[in-house]
Amino acid sequence: MPRFDVLAGRILIGHSELDHGDPPMGVAAGRFMPTAAYAAVQDRVIATRDGSQLGLTLRVLAPDGSQLAADGQVQILDFSPELGPDGMEVQVLGIESPTYAELFPTQAAAFAVTRRDGD
């Protein structure tokens, strides 16, 4: 599965495979795997996990280096103090349909099958 880079400003703070989501809503999400640099922003991420994280300037880069999302469309949900290292997820919102299908073909195909079966 491809790996997506998660940045705070210009600093690489982690990665995710963005292995699940909601294709019609343009949402991709996955376990957040932090780098050592994440420690510098972790307290701010935890403090803002239920609100706006605009001040963190979070963004996600696709495997080809192109920017997938930014400007409040990226959120890190860090519940690691309560749940341990598996309690971190990154969510990317507002991914346009053609880009979503290109980057997440398995999720897009699964939605298409579910939609056909439900019609």
Side-chain angles (χ1 to χ4, degrees):
M1 192 151 240
R3 186 176 83 168
F4 295 81
D5 292 339
V6 181
L7 293 92
R10 296 183 179 267
I11 300 169
L12 178 66
I13 60 167
H15 308 282
S16 180
E17 292 180 351
L18 299 178
D19 57 355
H20 59 277
D22 186 342
M25 297 298 291
V27 176
R31 182 170 175 229
F32 176 68
M33 297 167 281
T35 64
Y38 177 64
V41 296
Q42 185 173 19
D43 288 342
R44 289 177 44 210
V45 168
I46 292 170
T48 59
R49 68 184 177 203
D50 294 324
S52 173
Q53 293 183 337
L54 281 173
L56 299 170
T57 60
L58 298 174
R59 59 194 180 112
V60 171
L61 300 180
D64 68 2
S66 64
Q67 186 164 295
L68 186 57
D71 298 330
Q73 297 178 10
V74 176
Q75 183 160 14
I76 297 173
L77 303 174
D78 185 343
F79 290 93
S80 62
E82 298 89 354
L83 303 174
D86 290 338
M88 292 187 276
E89 180 174 270
V90 61
Q91 298 177 345
V92 184
L93 314 172
I95 304 168
E96 296 292 324
S97 183
T99 301
Y100 197 101
E102 179 182 316
L103 291 171
F104 309 105
T106 303
Q107 294 172 29
F111 172 73
V113 168
T114 302
R115 188 171 172 200
R116 274 196 308 271
D117 290 345
D119 287 343

